Amino acid sequence: MPIPIQKTFTYSITEDEAIFLQKGMRVAVSFGKSKMYSALVLNIHQTKPTLYEAKEIHQILDEVPLVNELQLQHWQWIANYYMCSLGDVYRAALPSAFLLESETIINKNEAFTEEDILADDEFLIFEALQHQSQLTIHQVAAILGKKKVMPIVNSLIKKTAITIKEEIYEQYKPKLVKYVRLHSNYSSDDSLGNLLEELSRAKKQREAVLGFFQLSASKKPIKAKELEEKANVSSSIIKSLVDKNIFEFYHIQTDRIQFKGDTNDLKKLNEFQEKALSEIKETFTEKDVTLLHGITSSGKTEVYTKLIQEVLDQGKQVLFLLPEIALTTQIITRLQFYFGEQISVFHSKYSMNERVEVWNNVLENKPKARIILGARSSIFLPFSNLGLIVVDEEHETSYKQFEPSPRYNARDAAIVLAKIHAAKILLGSATPSLESYFNAQQKKYGFVALNRRHGNVQLPKIELINVKEKQRKKEIKGHFSDRLLKLIQEALDLKEQVILFQNRRGFSPVVECKTCGVSPQCPNCDVSLTYHKFRNELRCHYCNYQRSMPNSCGACGSNTLDNKGFGTEQIELELTQLFPDHKIGRMDLDTTRGKYGYQKIIGAFEAREIDVLVGTQMLSKGLDFDNVTLVGILNADSMLNFPDFRAHERAYDMMVQVSGRAGRSKKQGNVAIQTYNPFHQILQQVSTTNYAEMYKEQLQERWQYKYPPYYRLIKITLKHKDYNKVDTGVNWLFKALYSSFGEHVLGPTAPAVSRIRNQYIKNIVIKIPPKQSLASTKKQLKKIKDTFEAVKDFRPIRFITDVDAY
Ligand code: ADP
Ligand code: ZN
Ligand code: ZN
């Protein structure tokens, strides 16, 4: 069942059903008093449950298994390792259209018009939706006077007559593209001559026909739109030719994710890439996992493509994992350039129907799903024949899912997935995670280094600017030192582009009263609100609460509210004043909403419509702009002073990655880092791009303070709206854990933001020493959790277990 319960359940089926049914098919079942779910068949057996009477299933929902054995094996691993139910994994894995349940809400698809293809029951529901904007599956059952309605709803979805309500996704629009062809009357060359003669007086129509012939030289279907543009005629001209039976229209339902354009030959690898490639293949003869440490702009993507091609040639599937798809449209375009229609993209921002489409294509091993490019959730797809997994930017935190369960790390789960398929897996990064590098050093993984930028461009020159000194000498304007301003001016004078990195969005993170020192707080969370200038409002970045900017302080009434600190919006404003003749752009969460939000900004910057781009850490994600010669990091210190054991590693990654955006094509780039603390060891390591030293030093600290990769971490979080309840619960839990694990239990602590959406939060961390078994630790923890949940007072408390919580 797609629910967070550890158990599986037995339902009864008839003999006929038993013959038809296979593992991995879905069945509609009722559960509890009135719930209906799409359950997954895990086993078909003849053992009666002893504790309850097996109910009958409602119906079988699939003709063939939707989930294969390899997936089930993988999901089971995820459930065990991350301490969640198999149902949690099932729910996370399937596009929601496959998970119909009694509470699912359906809507009419307004664009649907072919009512005549609907069966009677289907039509009844469709009609009911004319009067009522939405229905639950429960209500559908009531309307039809029967319980067994899932297949009817399924069929309505398939026929695109209805959609499932999913607020976060964009609404589905069937995408029918109108094409034009010649009417069958006119196929021979002879009649064409006549045709043109006939039209000699209708000048526009004649032009349309001529345009059509020019386009048809390419032997591809001709879109009506395309013809209008080519012949420079209106749609009514083409329509009139259709009315005359000269043209006819036809429609093709295109896949919603479509590749346009031609594929190209793979680039020729340079000698260093060639060497890396052969080393990778060499390591693969002994190891299943290999880490590719390739500096920024060394051309890792080109190396991947060669490996991918070889696996495709063996007839196997490839999974290419990316941290955040929306940010990596460039890499999608590049891979599509090589592999064209063999690529499908899978991402949670795509609509339900797009995801269903990809799922089915992978399941059927269709040629267009030979390479799956996807974010973390694509590890759940029904692969049957994986030959290679590439995890690009393997160090990225977005591979980890924190909420909801399963709280998995897609890189780690992908390693297990590869093992299940007997496939190879390549982890790539310019700044590998300490864990992966450690595993490579321990010879658990193969290791290959690529230390040259393509074209032998040197890594950028990195200089540290001491802000404290600049302030003392009054050489600072707003948030810019004179040195950084000079570098920006020089780049702009040469018509080059600039990236400025400011790891905070909004205008100024915190507003503070100068009289009494109080900052406006979020009413739902224990955190200060952030000022957003554009809308003149205050917002909570945790729960999205917003209010207009008050005129006076809520605590003392004085009108002395002031900005403290700075964010992207403020930097953008200062820049427009400092460089009024140049176009300034901004890329952060606020400017990139919507499916194409990133693409627009990235596209504008590529097209050089923007001279200076200000942004948050989004800018550090593998972007490739050839005209950027300067990268400025405005406030390095905010990244270093972060209460997290990985803060320094992350700060190094982020700075090296953004720096890597400078000087990628011809000439060496510049990087300027403003800081109050230029002697900080991490900044020194960034300025010399000394990964090895960073690694050595961080590793020592990890050992000393008992952190990964030496110790494993399990984090437990308790949440409830009543503070006292959480507090009592967490103290009980701490004692119980302490008696099992002793000094390796840390806490209980309140996180930096100790209340979110009115829920109070407490954490406990369990550290697991290298020699202590992970499995038995989890078993013990599970026992304690069960005891905790058996206490009536604690039952309403949310108990969250996060394995490898980093
Ligand atoms: P990385 O991912 O390692 O930062 P990329 O794969 O983005 O590097 O490559 C950097 C740039 O160099 C890209 O614009 C890419 O097209 C170009 N490039 C890399 N290798 C080659 C090659 N062998 N031939 C031509 N161009 C290349
Ligand atoms: Zn809030
Ligand atoms: Zn005040």
Side-chain angles (χ1 to χ4, degrees):
M1 313 286 289
I3 53 176
I5 291 182
Q6 294 288 353
K7 278 186 291 221
T8 54
F9 298 86
T10 300
Y11 282 80
S12 87
I13 49 177
T14 64
E15 230 176 294
D16 282 346
E17 284 170 336
I19 291 165
F20 182 79
L21 208 57
Q22 294 175 50
K23 278 190 203 183
M25 288 184 178
R26 290 166 310 142
V27 288
V29 297
S30 53
F31 185 74
K33 276 200 198 83
S34 60
K35 297 250 192 227
M36 266 185 283
Y37 285 109
S38 304
L40 192 68
V41 178
L42 274 187
N43 197 2
I44 301 159
H45 60 84
Q46 305 212 39
T47 321
K48 240 189 186 169
T50 47
L51 295 175
Y52 55 93
E53 189 68 25
K55 288 184 194 169
E56 285 173 10
I57 63 165
H58 287 186
Q59 282 138 322
I60 299 174
L61 294 174
D62 296 309
E63 313 260 295
V64 293
L66 193 70
V67 172
N68 65 38
E69 295 267 358
L70 296 170
Q71 277 173 293
L72 288 176
Q73 216 178 313
H74 188 223
W75 296 2
Q76 196 67 63
W77 179 85
I78 289 176
N80 288 342
Y81 187 86
Y82 294 104
M83 301 187 72
C84 63
S85 77
L86 191 57
D88 277 335
V89 187
Y90 171 43
R91 179 176 282 278
L94 265 67
S96 48
F98 289 137
L99 287 170
L100 295 179
E101 58 189 48
S102 36
E103 317 300 327
T104 306
I105 292 169
I106 61 170
N107 300 105
K108 195 172 82 143
N109 173 12
E110 297 297 341
F112 181 80
T113 49
E114 305 159 82
E115 293 172 23
D116 47 319
I117 65 169
L118 300 180
D120 289 353
D121 277 349
E122 293 167 9
F123 184 73
L124 220 60
I125 299 309
F126 186 73
E127 207 188 37
L129 283 170
Q130 319 262 22
H131 307 293
Q132 213 167 331
S133 66
Q134 59 181 46
L135 292 172
T136 63
I137 301 287
H138 247 327
Q139 290 168 319
V140 170
I143 291 170
L144 296 178
K146 51 176 146 184
K147 268 194 175 167
K148 309 186 170 184
V149 296
M150 298 247 198
I152 299 169
V153 177
N154 258 334
S155 166
L156 280 164
I157 293 174
K158 248 192 205 143
K159 293 176 180 171
T160 72
I162 61 168
T163 57
I164 288 193
K165 185 158 176 185
E166 284 184 297
E167 270 152 40
I168 47 171
Y169 305 117
E170 304 187 4
Q171 284 294 306
Y172 164 66
K173 289 184 208 76
K175 202 169 166 193
L176 286 178
V177 178
K178 200 196 256 179
Y179 287 83
V180 185
R181 63 185 164 217
L182 219 45
H183 196 273
S184 50
N185 298 349
Y186 298 94
S187 43
S188 74
D189 294 344
D190 181 39
S191 42
L192 286 178
N194 296 341
L195 171 59
L196 285 176
E197 217 157 87
E198 244 175 76
L199 293 175
S200 59
R201 263 172 300 147
K203 185 163 163 280
K204 277 282 169 193
Q205 293 182 2
R206 200 181 136 95
E207 271 166 30
V209 172
L210 282 171
F212 179 87
F213 284 121
Q214 280 163 9
L215 284 175
S216 54
S218 77
K219 307 245 183 280
K220 278 194 230 152
I222 295 165
K223 292 189 183 120
K225 268 267 158 331
E226 215 177 332
L227 179 54
E228 284 165 30
E229 274 162 29
K230 176 85 189 173
N232 194 19
V233 296
S234 66
S235 56
S236 61
I237 298 288
I238 297 178
K239 177 79 176 35
S240 62
L241 285 163
V242 171
D243 293 341
K244 281 190 180 169
N245 282 338
I246 294 172
F247 283 163
E248 60 187 16
F249 286 138
Y250 64 109
H251 293 84
I252 300 179
Q253 176 158 359
T254 55
D255 270 349
R256 276 160 289 276
I257 307 148
Q258 196 193 20
F259 169 69
K260 307 185 219 55
D262 299 318
T263 57
N264 269 52
D265 290 339
L266 299 186
K267 287 200 174 91
K268 197 166 156 2
L269 295 189
N270 64 42
E271 59 179 304
F272 305 98
Q273 292 166 334
E274 204 64 76
K275 182 158 169 283
L277 177 67
S278 69
E279 283 175 14
I280 291 168
K281 288 198 274 188
E282 179 70 34
T283 60
F284 277 161
T285 59
E286 283 175 27
K287 303 268 181 355
D288 295 329
V289 189
T290 289
L291 174 65
L292 170 62
H293 182 195
I295 59 171
T296 56
S297 204
S298 57
K300 292 183 284 297
T301 320
E302 307 303 327
V303 178
Y304 301 150
T305 54
K306 287 286 191 294
L307 269 183
I308 292 172
Q309 188 58 57
E310 290 181 14
V311 175
L312 290 181
D313 291 344
Q314 296 161 19
K316 294 191 172 165
Q317 298 167 314
V318 176
L319 170 60
F320 192 109
L321 282 174
L322 291 164
E324 278 160 275
I325 286 275
L327 292 173
T328 29
T329 50
Q330 281 188 331
I331 213 167
I332 298 176
T333 316
R334 270 169 74 184
L335 291 176
Q336 279 182 331
F337 189 71
Y338 298 137
F339 299 111
E341 293 191 332
Q342 300 177 85
I343 293 185
S344 286
V345 179
F346 189 79
H347 182 243
S348 60
K349 264 202 182 161
Y350 284 151
S351 74
M352 181 188 78
N353 290 273
E354 286 166 332
R355 281 175 292 140
V356 166
E357 224 164 69
V358 176
W359 184 284
N360 287 331
N361 291 342
V362 175
L363 186 68
E364 291 157 27
N365 201 0
K366 289 248 180 81
K368 64 175 156 191
R370 303 295 305 285
I371 307 170
I372 296 296
L373 253 174
R376 59 176 182 238
S377 59
S378 46
I379 59 164
F380 295 120
L381 287 165
F383 299 105
S384 49
N385 186 19
L386 268 178
L388 174 71
I389 302 178
V390 176
V391 184
D392 194 21
E393 311 290 356
E394 67 88 28
H395 65 281
E396 274 283 340
T397 37
S398 43
Y399 282 125
K400 165 81 182 172
Q401 167 145 319
F402 288 99
E403 189 68 27
S405 178
R407 299 181 170 80
Y408 63 102
N409 182 311
R411 175 199 60 209
D412 299 339
I415 290 174
V416 176
L417 181 66
K419 200 173 196 90
I420 289 174
H421 283 261
K424 299 294 173 187
I425 175 164
L426 180 66
L427 313 178
S429 176
T431 52
S433 65
L434 237 58
E435 291 76 36
S436 295
Y437 203 81
F438 182 74
N439 282 330
Q441 298 266 302
Q442 302 284 307
K443 309 274 185 248
K444 246 178 98 180
Y445 299 170
F447 180 78
V448 175
L450 183 51
N451 290 323
R452 279 309 168 97
R453 284 194 143 185
H454 175 68
N456 266 332
V457 184
Q458 281 189 299
L459 279 171
K461 266 194 281 226
I462 302 179
E463 64 178 88
L464 300 170
I465 299 170
N466 188 339
V467 182
K468 209 187 278 168
E469 200 178 294
K470 290 286 174 192
Q471 275 171 342
R472 195 172 48 79
K473 294 190 187 156
K474 304 213 171 351
E475 291 172 344
I476 209 150
K477 248 191 224 161
H479 294 98
F480 292 90
S481 60
D482 58 349
R483 174 69 187 150
L484 180 54
L485 286 175
K486 180 162 175 276
L487 289 168
I488 297 175
Q489 190 63 58
E490 280 171 8
L492 293 177
D493 288 345
L494 293 169
K495 305 234 175 307
E496 294 163 353
Q497 289 166 292
V498 178
I499 284 179
L500 294 176
F501 177 69
Q502 167 54 33
N503 203 23
R504 263 175 170 169
R505 67 188 161 116
F507 188 75
S508 64
V510 181
V511 173
E512 195 181 82
C513 173
K514 272 189 180 160
T515 309
C516 72
V518 167
S519 306
Q521 299 285 307
C522 173
N524 312 317
C525 311
D526 177 23
V527 69
S528 302
L529 295 167
T530 303
Y531 179 51
H532 286 244
K533 182 173 191 313
F534 178 65
R535 292 217 166 89
N536 195 35
E537 65 184 16
L538 295 174
R539 259 191 239 166
C540 172
H541 287 182
Y542 287 85
C543 74
N544 273 332
Y545 167 87
Q546 40 200 273
R547 56 167 296 185
S548 60
M549 173 72 180
N551 292 321
S552 56
C553 168
C556 74
S558 329
N559 52 0
T560 49
L561 286 177
D562 190 27
N563 304 333
K564 214 180 92 185
F566 58 107
T568 42
E569 215 177 326
Q570 162 107 47
I571 299 297
E572 184 190 15
L573 184 77
E574 285 182 22
L575 281 169
T576 49
Q577 285 156 359
L578 288 164
F579 301 97
D581 300 332
H582 289 91
K583 184 96 171 53
I584 316 296
R586 173 161 64 96
M587 182 156 109
D588 58 26
L589 263 183
D590 299 313
T591 60
T592 53
R593 296 194 195 285
K595 189 162 156 185
Y596 299 108
Y598 300 91
Q599 249 156 296
K600 267 188 229 147
I601 295 176
I602 291 172
F605 196 53
E606 271 176 336
R608 307 190 187 183
E609 287 158 17
I610 293 172
D611 302 311
V612 183
L613 185 60
V614 186
T616 57
Q617 78 260 22
M618 292 178 183
L619 287 173
S620 67
K621 320 236 162 169
L623 296 167
D624 184 30
F625 302 111
D626 60 1
N627 190 41
V628 172
T629 54
L630 173 66
V631 166
I633 297 176
L634 287 156
N635 177 5
D637 308 285
S638 68
M639 284 179 271
L640 294 167
N641 310 327
F642 210 75
D644 180 292
F645 75 91
R646 291 174 77 101
H648 286 174
E649 181 192 352
R650 291 257 160 78
Y652 177 90
D653 291 352
M654 218 181 280
M655 284 189 260
V656 168
Q657 294 282 355
V658 261
S659 303
R661 304 312 113 205
R664 290 173 73 86
S665 67
K666 285 170 219 88
K667 81 180 212 199
Q668 187 183 22
N670 285 305
V671 174
I673 302 178
Q674 297 194 151
T675 172
Y676 284 89
N677 195 358
F679 299 105
H680 195 290
Q681 90 263 23
I682 285 288
L683 291 175
Q684 291 295 324
Q685 288 151 5
V686 168
S687 70
T688 48
T689 323
N690 195 340
Y691 181 88
E693 198 182 304
M694 185 281 291
Y695 171 77
K696 213 173 106 208
E697 218 170 272
Q698 292 301 313
L699 204 63
Q700 227 155 28
E701 285 188 16
R702 300 285 179 89
W703 174 248
Q704 197 175 348
Y705 298 105
K706 301 189 165 67
Y707 278 111
Y710 299 107
Y711 281 59
R712 326 287 301 247
L713 298 184
I714 297 179
K715 183 166 133 192
I716 293 163
T717 302
L718 300 187
K719 284 188 187 177
H720 195 268
K721 61 179 190 298
D722 177 353
Y723 179 81
N724 290 326
K725 213 183 224 1
V726 187
D727 201 46
T728 327
V730 86
N731 287 325
W732 184 99
L733 185 64
F734 180 78
K735 280 201 196 103
L737 291 169
Y738 192 85
S739 69
S740 284
F741 306 118
E743 52 164 357
H744 294 310
V745 186
L746 310 185
T749 55
V753 180
S754 64
R755 183 180 54 120
I756 294 177
R757 295 172 204 265
N758 287 317
Q759 303 266 320
Y760 290 92
I761 307 168
K762 291 277 184 176
N763 291 325
I764 294 178
V765 171
I766 305 171
K767 286 184 174 175
I768 305 167
K771 292 219 172 70
Q772 185 177 322
S773 144
L774 197 58
S776 60
T777 305
K778 287 178 188 166
K779 217 160 151 191
Q780 183 64 16
L781 171 58
K782 175 88 179 40
K783 254 195 217 149
I784 295 172
K785 179 177 185 231
D786 289 345
T787 318
F788 179 90
E789 286 176 340
V791 179
K792 191 159 155 266
D793 240 24
F794 297 159
R795 214 169 292 149
I797 301 177
R798 252 191 94 196
F799 191 118
I800 296 167
T801 315
D802 191 343
V803 179
D804 298 343
Y806 48 84

